[in-house]
């Protein structure tokens, strides 16, 4: 599956403590084809993010993802944390954002 491929690739490029990848495609009206993964959410915890601002953290992820084929992904939502930041957020919920119907 494509999400497993993304997860494995990120784990090989970043020192990951925890990673979860969710397919949020069904929450959006991007495509009528239900087999297409168009929107994903990645929650990643890594001490590679220590002393890095949010923009730099996202650059690390996108640089890694650029190396693999992105197929039909339209949107990627990133939640990036250091291990200490994750301990503070651990029990908080990560809600998906629904697209507004046109």
């Amino acid at each position: 599956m494509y999400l497993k491929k993304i997860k494995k690739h990120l784990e090989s490029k970043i020192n990951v403590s925890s990673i979860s990848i969710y397919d949020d495609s069904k929450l959006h009206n991007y495509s009528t084809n239900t087999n297409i993964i168009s929107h994903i959410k990645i929650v990643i915890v890594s001490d590679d993010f220590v002393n890095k601002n949010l923009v730099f953290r996202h650059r690390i992820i996108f640089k890694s993802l650029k190396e693999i084929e992105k197929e039909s992904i339209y949107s990627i939502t990133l939640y990036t944390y250091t291990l200490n930041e994750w301990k503070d957020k651990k029990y908080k919920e990560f809600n998906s954002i629904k697209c507004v119907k046109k």
Side-chain angles (χ1 to χ4, degrees):
M1 184 176 196
Y2 187 59
L3 296 180
K4 287 181 183 179
K5 179 180 176 182
I6 292 171
K7 182 177 180 180
K8 191 170 190 161
H9 185 76
L10 287 172
E11 288 173 330
S12 74
K13 299 294 181 180
I14 300 168
N15 183 21
V16 174
S17 298
S18 174
I19 185 170
S20 298
I21 302 176
Y22 306 94
D23 178 5
D24 284 346
S25 302
K26 293 180 181 178
L27 300 174
H28 305 275
N29 295 323
Y30 181 71
S31 173
T32 57
N33 185 342
T34 57
N35 295 324
I36 293 177
I37 297 174
S38 61
H39 293 70
I40 64 171
K41 175 173 52 181
I42 300 173
V43 180
I44 187 166
V45 180
S46 172
D47 276 342
D48 288 354
F49 301 142
V50 172
N51 298 321
K52 307 281 190 303
N53 66 34
L54 187 62
V55 173
F56 194 80
R57 294 175 185 196
H58 288 203
R59 283 182 184 157
I60 292 170
I61 303 295
F62 284 116
K63 182 179 179 183
S64 296
L65 291 177
K66 191 180 217 183
E67 296 173 5
I68 62 172
E69 186 180 341
K70 288 184 274 206
E71 292 180 17
S72 62
I73 295 178
Y74 174 76
S75 174
I76 299 173
T77 303
L78 297 175
Y79 296 94
T80 57
Y81 301 99
T82 64
L83 197 52
N84 285 336
E85 290 169 343
W86 179 246
K87 288 175 185 176
D88 293 339
K89 301 253 185 215
K90 191 172 183 180
Y91 298 104
K92 294 189 179 180
E93 190 174 327
F94 298 96
N95 295 319
S96 297
I97 300 170
K98 293 184 181 181
C99 285
V100 178
K101 289 186 178 182
K102 292 181 179 181

